[in-house]
Amino acid sequence: MSDGIVAPDFDAVVVGAGFAGIYALHRLRRDGFSARVYESASGVGGTWFHNRYPGCRCDVSSVEYSYSFSPELEQEWAWTERYPSQAYLVEYLNHVVDRFGLRDGIQLETRVTAASFDDETGLWAIETDRGDRVTARFLVTAVGCLSAANRPAFPGLDDFEGLVLHTGEWPEEEVDLRGKRVGVVGTGSSGVQVIPVVAEQAEHLYVFQRTAGYVVPARNHPYTDEYLRDIKSRYREFRQMLRGTLLGFDNEQRMQPALEATPEERRAEYQRRWDIGGPYLLGAYGDLILDLEANRTCSDFVREKIDEIVDDPAVAEKLKPKFPIGAKRLVQGTDYYETYNRDNVTLVDVAESPIEQITPTGLRTADAEYELDVLILATGYDAVTGSILRIDVRGSGGRSLRELWADGPHTYLGVAVHGFPNMFTITGPASPSVTTNLALSIEQHVDWIADCLVHMRENGLERVEPTAEAQDAWGEEVAAIAEGTVFRYADSWYYGANIPGKPRVFLAYLGGFPTYQARIDEIAAHGYEGFVLEPGRQAAPV
């Protein structure tokens, strides 16, 4: 320290060591910045570290849900099946950390509790639950969109004498469910994955469903050597193709309107995509998420499939979604509907008969009581905003992010927030994030942020912050796009509807990955339009 100039401990502090934090550390180091990653868990992996529940795997294919920044990594790593399991993804991320020498830059078992911006020094002060207090020029949040577990405040939950588990906070030790009476609350993505596996182990499984969703077959399968040789021979072209798709992954998106096809043509196309499995169904026609009438043709197809698969007509009826397909996350499952044909599985509709109490020995609804040994909460996450708002983040003038976002999140491009200089949010609210291939969106954001930091260094700039006007205009654009889709017809976690009291704001940008990438790159190319960049007294080198 000299002449009033304060040198930070690090150029950047990164919060979180999942897909985003790992790549952010690599990219920042590559560009000559000093960085430290703080991770609350005992290992790297982010959401994939915690979601160890039986049956957990990614619903984007392995060759798409992986890093593209290193052609050498692509050639070295051998994906084994279409959809990677949770354990294999954690193995992959640990390989990346060691392959690129990143482990010494990651401090595990350390939760960031507070971060505040000092207007005088232009630095962020970061505090952790282990007593660390460090400063950084830049704060980069890599906390994940789906990582803050949602535990509903069911009356009596703390009095339950059996085992309570949450899919998003599954214990590291193996859980033996053999011979147990198990209740699963929730039938979203994690519920759909865990239910068939638990059904094979439990003496009896009770599924407590509030809202039926659309479940398409995953059709997971091992990769053949021939396929892997082929994809590795054209990985660069394959990645470029993905960046040109609407959602950043391959679902054979066709632009033809659904109603221009005959009913026979539509059924044949839907069946073909159902047989392929995975996310292909919604790519059948270009207007399925825009036009209710077009959407109904696809929704009805899935409802008919439920009738075909589920033996009991009353159970099948309860499993049929009432909202348009695509208005909530399209879930992929393996033998999900078939599971309800098992004698040891009971579906309980808690929309008709709400959960009233968790008792010491089970769960009571409005009209029945169920004796349980294990209660599994597959109740999802406080999505997109939950993780960052668990940190006491204070920007210029001590302004609280929690207070600023009390009526919903406000960002510019989902990457920065007015009033919070030098803070970047990887796949933050109002970016494509959860509506796209997150691995691709993460890389895109990290590269953009790193390029911005390089630009600032090369031009003697020390402070970057979006304007209020640019932020407001972006928020209005994001909301308007969402309102033009079928998403508005469902109360989903995309709107924060799963969290009591959370403002109803659509949390992602639905304009498509290519449009967003072109937009954010153009903003950078034109001198970072919508941002104010300021010079400062250069700190001594770190």
Side-chain angles (χ1 to χ4, degrees):
M1 185 186 301
S2 61
D3 301 324
I5 298 174
V6 180
D9 297 308
F10 303 99
D11 292 321
V13 159
V14 179
V15 186
F19 257 91
I22 290 169
Y23 181 48
L25 178 60
H26 171 70
R27 179 63 204 270
L28 289 168
R29 282 184 165 184
R30 194 200 78 179
D31 289 337
F33 296 101
S34 62
R36 168 66 56 85
V37 176
Y38 292 107
E39 167 56 53
S40 61
S42 60
V44 302
T47 190
W48 297 112
F49 179 86
H50 294 288
N51 282 261
R52 302 183 193 85
Y53 61 85
C56 179
R57 62 179 65 244
C58 186
D59 60 3
V60 178
S61 74
S62 301
V63 295
E64 298 173 58
Y65 193 84
S66 52
Y67 291 121
S68 66
F69 68 85
S70 169
E72 294 78 17
L73 175 64
E74 289 175 335
Q75 295 301 316
E76 294 164 2
W77 186 259
W79 292 109
T80 59
E81 52 188 336
R82 183 182 185 186
Y83 297 110
S85 68
Q86 173 267 339
Y88 204 65
L89 274 170
V90 171
E91 185 180 338
Y92 170 70
L93 291 172
N94 273 284
H95 171 77
V96 172
V97 167
D98 293 329
R99 166 72 169 75
F100 295 97
L102 304 175
R103 203 165 291 277
D104 64 340
I106 301 171
Q107 185 169 318
L108 300 173
E109 298 182 302
T110 307
R111 181 178 297 278
V112 171
T113 56
S116 57
F117 184 77
D118 186 317
D119 286 292
E120 184 176 344
T121 63
L123 302 180
W124 281 93
I126 295 95
E127 299 176 31
T128 78
D129 62 351
R130 295 182 62 173
D132 302 280
R133 182 177 173 83
V134 300
T135 58
R137 179 71 59 196
F138 301 98
L139 175 67
V140 180
T141 67
V143 292
C145 297
L146 300 172
S147 55
N150 170 38
R151 283 181 170 261
F154 293 125
L157 184 60
D158 292 339
D159 298 326
F160 182 60
E161 295 173 355
L163 179 63
V164 179
L165 302 166
H166 192 290
T167 50
E169 297 174 333
W170 203 265
E172 291 190 50
E173 62 273 12
E174 185 176 350
V175 178
D176 186 1
L177 300 175
R178 289 174 298 179
K180 302 291 178 61
R181 297 165 298 178
V182 181
V184 174
V185 179
T187 54
S189 186
S190 55
V192 164
Q193 289 186 339
V194 78
I195 284 166
V197 182
V198 172
E200 294 177 352
Q201 302 173 11
E203 175 187 304
H204 200 93
L205 170 63
Y206 297 94
V207 177
F208 299 95
Q209 172 192 272
R210 182 178 62 178
T211 306
Y214 293 90
V215 182
V216 297
R219 312 283 189 210
N220 188 40
H221 55 78
Y223 279 144
T224 65
D225 291 341
E226 181 183 10
Y227 174 79
L228 289 174
R229 281 194 300 269
D230 173 65
I231 201 70
K232 287 186 175 185
S233 72
R234 55 183 180 89
Y235 232 137
R236 295 292 88 192
E237 294 83 359
F238 180 71
R239 298 288 196 186
Q240 194 58 36
M241 180 275 293
L242 294 178
R243 291 185 179 91
T245 63
L246 185 67
L247 304 178
F249 57 78
D250 180 17
N251 68 345
E252 290 186 17
Q253 180 70 53
R254 300 195 313 165
M255 299 316 296
Q256 178 190 2
L259 299 179
E260 285 187 2
T262 67
E264 295 76 19
E265 288 171 338
R266 284 197 300 268
R267 173 136 194 117
E269 183 62 14
Y270 291 147
Q271 184 64 53
R272 183 182 76 84
R273 290 170 178 263
W274 180 271
D275 292 340
I276 293 173
Y280 280 75
L281 191 62
L282 283 178
Y285 297 100
D287 56 352
L288 292 182
I289 69 164
L290 301 174
D291 181 86
L292 274 180
E293 202 59 39
N295 183 283
R296 192 171 292 115
T297 67
C298 190
S299 300
D300 287 345
F301 173 83
V302 178
R303 295 186 187 110
E304 291 168 11
K305 283 294 182 186
I306 296 170
D307 279 330
E308 292 175 14
I309 296 169
V310 180
D311 295 338
D312 186 330
V315 174
E317 198 60 35
K318 289 180 180 179
L319 289 167
K320 291 179 185 176
K322 305 298 191 294
F323 55 89
I325 190 169
K328 290 190 175 187
R329 184 178 181 180
L330 184 63
V331 177
Q332 300 171 37
T334 298
D335 296 329
Y336 176 69
Y337 292 125
E338 290 84 349
T339 296
Y340 294 97
N341 295 330
R342 297 177 62 103
D343 293 335
N344 71 327
V345 176
T346 300
L347 177 65
V348 181
D349 188 340
V350 296
E352 291 181 358
S353 180
I355 296 172
E356 291 188 342
Q357 183 88 17
I358 307 299
T359 70
T361 58
L363 182 152
R364 187 174 70 242
T365 67
D367 61 8
E369 187 160 343
Y370 303 88
E371 298 293 316
L372 303 173
D373 302 303
V374 181
L375 180 62
I376 298 174
L377 303 176
T379 47
Y381 307 92
D382 184 353
V384 183
T385 59
S387 295
I388 190 172
L389 291 182
R390 292 183 179 187
I391 305 169
D392 182 14
V393 181
R394 295 183 179 272
S396 184
R399 191 176 191 186
S400 164
L401 188 66
R402 289 175 192 155
E403 293 174 5
L404 175 66
W405 286 4
D407 62 345
H410 305 278
T411 75
Y412 182 41
L413 307 169
V415 76
V417 182
H418 174 68
F420 294 76
N422 294 0
M423 183 178 84
F424 296 98
T425 53
I426 301 174
T427 60
S431 73
S433 66
V434 289
T435 60
T436 60
N437 174 358
L438 263 170
L440 200 63
S441 285
I442 283 167
E443 278 194 311
Q444 192 273 334
H445 258 193
V446 170
D447 287 337
W448 192 92
I449 292 166
D451 287 344
C452 181
L453 268 58
V454 170
H455 170 81
M456 292 177 68
R457 182 176 61 195
E458 291 177 346
N459 291 275
L461 303 167
E462 287 192 359
R463 181 165 168 158
V464 58
E465 177 187 350
T467 67
E469 294 76 16
Q471 180 168 280
D472 290 346
W474 181 251
E476 291 170 4
E477 182 176 340
V478 170
I481 294 173
E483 284 302 301
T485 71
V486 299
F487 281 91
R488 70 186 185 276
Y489 295 111
D491 288 328
S492 67
W493 60 258
Y494 289 118
Y495 279 102
N498 62 322
I499 306 296
K502 191 169 181 175
R504 193 179 193 279
V505 175
F506 198 77
L507 295 171
Y509 172 77
L510 283 174
F513 183 84
T515 301
Y516 177 83
Q517 178 166 281
R519 181 79 166 274
I520 199 169
D521 286 349
E522 182 181 12
I523 284 168
H526 287 82
Y528 293 89
E529 291 175 330
F531 289 90
V532 175
L533 292 94
E534 299 177 353
R537 294 172 298 177
Q538 294 297 312
V542 177

